């Protein structure tokens, strides 16, 4: 098996809610979620119709069982489909990648500002996360268009 075949093809990945997911695993997760939660709802509905006095109350409790099925299906999918991402902590990360992320962040927000302007609690937390020096030493690259005439 080659190194390229060990990683999923780029077209199989999709970004959802700020995270990357495999389309196959996503499809199976949806199927599992529907099957488990709907089964929980239907079984609870059948059992509760004969034991609870009013049909409205039986449906309400059955919906709670369906929601419980959603939680159970989430646990099943979390066990079946483990995360594919690699988390790199400390100095092992590529510094160019960090510079690209900071440049992108600065582009979205306009300017990152100065670390000196932050409250002491934020500075303390940044130091605990070991990102203070990264933000303190960030100098945006000079834009090519700055020297050009309008």
């Amino acid at each position: 098996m080659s190194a390229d075949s060990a990683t999923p093809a780029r077209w199989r990945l999709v970004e959802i809610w700020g995270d990357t997911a495999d389309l196959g695993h996503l499809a199976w997760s949806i199927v599992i979620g529907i099957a488990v939660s709907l089964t929980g709802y239907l079984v609870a509905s059948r059992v509760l119709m004969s034991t609870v006095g009013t049909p409205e109350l039986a449906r309400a409790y059955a919906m709670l069982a369906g929601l419980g099925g959603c939680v159970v299906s989430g646990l099943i999918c979390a066990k079946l489909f483990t995360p594919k991402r690699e988390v790199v902590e400390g100095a092992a990360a590529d510094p160019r990648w960090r510079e690209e992320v900071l440049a992108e962040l600065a582009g979205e927000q306009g300017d990152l500002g100065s670390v000196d302007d932050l409250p002491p609690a934020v500075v303390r937390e940044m130091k605990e996360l070991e990102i203070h020096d990264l933000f303190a030493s960030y100098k945006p690259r000079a834009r090519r268009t700055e020297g050009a005439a309008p």
Side-chain angles (χ1 to χ4, degrees), residues 23 51 85 97 126 146 150:
L23 281 174
T51 58
R85 70 182 81 85
W97 175 80
M126 287 177 74
E146 284 183 32

mmCIF file of all heavy atoms in Angstrom, residues 23 51 85 97 126 146 150:
data_model
loop_
_atom_site.group_PDB
_atom_site.id
_atom_site.type_symbol
_atom_site.label_atom_id
_atom_site.label_comp_id
_atom_site.label_asym_id
_atom_site.label_seq_id
_atom_site.Cartn_x
_atom_site.Cartn_y
_atom_site.Cartn_z
ATOM 1 N N LEU A 23 -16.977 11.895 2.867
ATOM 2 C CA LEU A 23 -18.346 11.791 2.374
ATOM 3 C C LEU A 23 -18.963 10.423 2.634
ATOM 4 O O LEU A 23 -20.148 10.320 2.965
ATOM 5 C CB LEU A 23 -18.387 12.101 0.875
ATOM 6 C CG LEU A 23 -18.333 13.568 0.505
ATOM 7 C CD1 LEU A 23 -18.224 13.730 -1.004
ATOM 8 C CD2 LEU A 23 -19.556 14.294 1.011
ATOM 9 N N THR A 51 -49.752 2.084 27.046
ATOM 10 C CA THR A 51 -49.559 2.287 28.483
ATOM 11 C C THR A 51 -49.913 3.691 28.953
ATOM 12 O O THR A 51 -50.274 3.863 30.114
ATOM 13 C CB THR A 51 -48.092 2.007 28.870
ATOM 14 O OG1 THR A 51 -47.241 2.852 28.126
ATOM 15 C CG2 THR A 51 -47.728 0.557 28.616
ATOM 16 N N ARG A 85 -7.950 13.559 11.300
ATOM 17 C CA ARG A 85 -7.006 14.669 11.368
ATOM 18 C C ARG A 85 -5.846 14.345 12.287
ATOM 19 O O ARG A 85 -5.962 13.498 13.167
ATOM 20 C CB ARG A 85 -7.704 15.949 11.821
ATOM 21 C CG ARG A 85 -8.136 15.920 13.277
ATOM 22 C CD ARG A 85 -8.864 17.163 13.669
ATOM 23 N NE ARG A 85 -10.242 17.166 13.274
ATOM 24 C CZ ARG A 85 -11.212 16.629 13.970
ATOM 25 N NH1 ARG A 85 -10.960 16.008 15.084
ATOM 26 N NH2 ARG A 85 -12.451 16.690 13.554
ATOM 27 N N TRP A 97 3.213 27.292 7.552
ATOM 28 C CA TRP A 97 1.778 27.113 7.669
ATOM 29 C C TRP A 97 1.202 28.097 8.677
ATOM 30 O O TRP A 97 0.148 28.677 8.454
ATOM 31 C CB TRP A 97 1.482 25.673 8.109
ATOM 32 C CG TRP A 97 0.027 25.427 8.361
ATOM 33 C CD1 TRP A 97 -0.935 25.188 7.439
ATOM 34 C CD2 TRP A 97 -0.632 25.439 9.625
ATOM 35 N NE1 TRP A 97 -2.154 25.030 8.062
ATOM 36 C CE2 TRP A 97 -1.992 25.185 9.403
ATOM 37 C CE3 TRP A 97 -0.200 25.632 10.940
ATOM 38 C CZ2 TRP A 97 -2.927 25.109 10.425
ATOM 39 C CZ3 TRP A 97 -1.136 25.554 11.962
ATOM 40 C CH2 TRP A 97 -2.479 25.299 11.687
ATOM 41 N N MET A 126 -2.824 33.039 26.345
ATOM 42 C CA MET A 126 -2.043 32.843 25.116
ATOM 43 C C MET A 126 -0.683 32.217 25.440
ATOM 44 O O MET A 126 -0.195 31.363 24.692
ATOM 45 C CB MET A 126 -1.855 34.171 24.379
ATOM 46 C CG MET A 126 -3.115 34.673 23.709
ATOM 47 S SD MET A 126 -2.894 36.276 22.926
ATOM 48 C CE MET A 126 -1.941 35.817 21.487
ATOM 49 N N GLU A 146 1.345 48.113 -2.533
ATOM 50 C CA GLU A 146 1.551 49.346 -1.783
ATOM 51 C C GLU A 146 2.464 50.317 -2.537
ATOM 52 O O GLU A 146 2.258 51.508 -2.531
ATOM 53 C CB GLU A 146 2.150 49.038 -0.413
ATOM 54 C CG GLU A 146 1.135 48.490 0.559
ATOM 55 C CD GLU A 146 1.734 48.251 1.933
ATOM 56 O OE1 GLU A 146 2.638 49.006 2.319
ATOM 57 O OE2 GLU A 146 1.296 47.324 2.603
ATOM 58 N N PRO A 150 -1.417 54.503 -8.240
ATOM 59 C CA PRO A 150 -2.843 54.257 -8.455
ATOM 60 C C PRO A 150 -3.260 54.435 -9.879
ATOM 61 O O PRO A 150 -2.754 54.998 -10.694
ATOM 62 C CB PRO A 150 -3.552 55.264 -7.561
ATOM 63 C CG PRO A 150 -2.525 56.229 -7.079
ATOM 64 C CD PRO A 150 -1.186 55.658 -7.386
#
